[in-house]
Amino acid sequence: MKTAIRFLVLGAAAAAFHAYADSDIEFAPYVLPAAKMSCDDGQDPMGSRLFATTRLRTQIGLGGLWDFLPDPQDKGEAGRYYVNFPEPETSLWVPGSWNAEPRYSGYIGPAWMRRTFTLPRSGNLRLHFGGAFYRTKVWLDGEYLGAHEGGYTPFSFAVKNATAGPHTLVVRVDNTLDDRTLPKRGVDWFPYGGIDRAVYAELVPDVWIERFHIIPRRRSGGAAALEVRVFLRNLGAAARTETLTLAIDGRQVYSGTHAAPPGESTVTFETVLENPRLWSPANPSLYSARLVLGAESDDQLTRFGVRWIEIDGTRLLLNGRPFRIIGVNRHEDHPDWGSALPPHILRQDVAIIKRMGANAVRGHYPPNQMFLDYCDQVGLVFMNEIPAWQNTPAQLSDPVVQEKIRREFREMVLRDMNHPSVITWSLGNEWRNPDACYEPARVLAAYARTLDSTRPLTLITAGYAGRLQELFDVISTNWSRHEWYDPATHIDTEVAARTVRQLRRIHELFPQKPVILSEFGGAESQAGWHDWSAVKWSEEFQARNVADSGAWGLAQDWIAGGCVWQFADSRSSPERILAGRLHGWNAKGILDAYRRPKLAYYELLRLFRAHREERYASGLTASPAGN
Ligand code: ADA
């Protein structure tokens, strides 16, 4: 009663303040926990990672202002813009999304970008793009280097014997989506165009380390066998023999010679880590590894963690102890930056999530790699996924789409293998008519398992119970309370009861598999609009959805956790402007797009913290902060 009067007299925002001011919520100080590391690799001058990835290569950052010219009539290739770049319309900051600029806010189509740079000396040039959305073609000094399709994974080009002095780089990026792209046209997030992740050039020797993976496997007696997989490139015409030397935390653990045939090759060797420090959200312990080629002719650095993920019936085990996913779904989106979130926003997102008492994040696509570096460092697990979003059986049976799924999955695994935070791989989200997707799913799941056998494989569905789930280690399902997209204006408990029955059917069908509520709570709210009777679009309506579905999910012992839909409001695709959206935004964020909390955020804070304390009291969690 008292609360209701406050609502009427003081207005909704003030009431919300009062409702929480006297509550038992304690705000943790705004400090991120530090990773336990015994080695500091310094800063990455390219701004791409949280640590330097080389001590030997000469690197040239290609961020900054680039000439920009949209090409709505697609005349650029015929007009050879890569040789005769016309008068640019403006210059744009890279990494950046052109749709974050008011002038190009709605622009979908090809665009041309150009910049020059100077090589301090001649040598083999490796051009690295952390990501560009969605189709990219690259020319250096008028010469075509190649193309890449896919918006979320890195790609690179090599140029033998580039000369010292100035060079001109021209890039054509096209953010047009269709029925055969990943994601497909009309997906529920915005196809921000541009070079939206770090880009740089570096000088490499004739044989270099493209990347290396460290894959820990459990040995009896607590030791970890580390399989080291090295991806080499040899630009020469003859095979070479090279020495590889690995140091972990500054201590040499391996040295051996290996053949490096021309082109790309893979070398593997093994080493053992006795009594490894284990990584977990409570204890994010990281190792630093440096691999050197020859007598310091090339090197690469990475971080890795040792942690054991296992499945025990309906439970996930992390390092032998039950582990529940408590998290948020997050898009890489911000009104001022589009999809090109700068490091301080990535860091802020991680801090907000950690501070909520969450231990997990899920995304519809591989995020900026720096975000995963932060997850490794502060202790958040990440459910990694490729953007095969709501594809139809017809699309999934199309060999062209299947090949894109395979490529996207491979590129995700190649990039993210070393992140201890990555806890599951997902083949996609909410495929339509799941029974009819069985055959393509079977083939794709078999392929995915050849790339990594150390993490559970999953596919996100929308309450589906059926044989498709046989194919996956973990069942991930979204709580789809359909009333949101109906004309209903109030919460309908009958709909919720139906959803619960549907979810229980999954458990009945697969009583021995963990089920993750990959999305719960999805309801939109107009930030700042309150209504005491919890009418649709109000913060109260959303808060109730989030609290009810979250509390129900976390109370089921056969549910291995869940993630709220979603972390912050995000812009939806142009096709969705009428699909129950606020000005074309998906406003189901528990924070608004600028990360200002809505009521649902406080509800979730309470829920996550209560859950954590309860787990601690029952001995299932290592420490109150441990999750
Ligand atoms: C699904 C989908 C999300 C989002 C959500 C919504 O759960 O996985 O990407 O579109 O629906 O807001 O309707």
Side-chain angles (χ1 to χ4, degrees), residues 488-515:
T489 52
H490 287 81
I491 287 170
D492 180 345
T493 44
E494 242 320 291
V495 182
R498 246 194 342 262
T499 308
V500 163
R501 283 199 295 277
Q502 199 181 348
L503 291 170
R504 285 197 199 285
R505 268 208 306 279
I506 302 177
H507 177 52
E508 282 156 23
L509 210 57
F510 297 97
Q512 283 310 315
K513 282 199 182 196
V515 175

Side-chain angles (χ1 to χ4, degrees), residues 269-330:
F269 58 85
E270 203 179 278
T271 179
V272 174
L273 209 54
E274 303 291 347
N275 303 315
R277 308 186 301 263
L278 297 184
W279 183 95
S280 72
N283 230 332
S285 221
L286 293 174
Y287 287 95
S288 157
R290 178 169 184 246
L291 186 68
V292 175
L293 188 110
E296 304 256 328
S297 69
D298 190 38
D299 73 343
Q300 282 291 278
L301 287 96
T302 191
R303 286 177 179 179
F304 72 98
V306 178
R307 47 105 189 90
W308 314 119
I309 309 161
E310 287 153 315
I311 291 170
D312 173 27
T314 56
R315 299 191 304 184
L316 287 177
L317 302 183
L318 182 66
N319 303 331
R321 307 182 74 154
F323 177 76
R324 266 190 147 186
I325 301 271
I326 301 176
V328 301
N329 282 278
R330 172 182 170 277

Side-chain angles (χ1 to χ4, degrees), residues 188-189 331 362 364 389-390 429-430 478 485 519 524 565 576 581 586 588:
D188 194 4
W189 64 88
H331 271 302
R362 171 187 166 236
H364 275 313
W389 187 92
Q390 293 192 359
N429 178 73
E430 294 188 349
N478 296 340
Y485 292 106
E519 295 175 18
E524 317 234 350
W565 183 264
R576 292 195 162 242
R581 291 286 185 270
N586 185 319
K588 300 190 185 76

Side-chain angles (χ1 to χ4, degrees), residues 318-388:
L318 182 66
N319 303 331
R321 307 182 74 154
F323 177 76
R324 266 190 147 186
I325 301 271
I326 301 176
V328 301
N329 282 278
R330 172 182 170 277
H331 271 302
E332 302 242 289
D333 191 338
H334 189 283
D336 294 339
W337 308 96
S339 56
L341 304 191
H344 69 280
I345 302 284
L346 297 176
R347 185 179 188 280
Q348 173 193 269
D349 283 0
V350 163
I352 294 170
I353 296 166
K354 191 73 187 171
R355 199 173 164 219
M356 281 174 74
N359 62 17
V361 187
R362 171 187 166 236
H364 275 313
Y365 40 79
N368 189 315
Q369 200 172 1
M370 194 185 272
F371 185 79
L372 292 183
D373 286 340
Y374 272 122
C375 290
D376 292 344
Q377 192 164 298
V378 308
L380 286 169
V381 300
F382 190 84
M383 296 181 70
N384 216 347
E385 187 165 314
I386 56 164

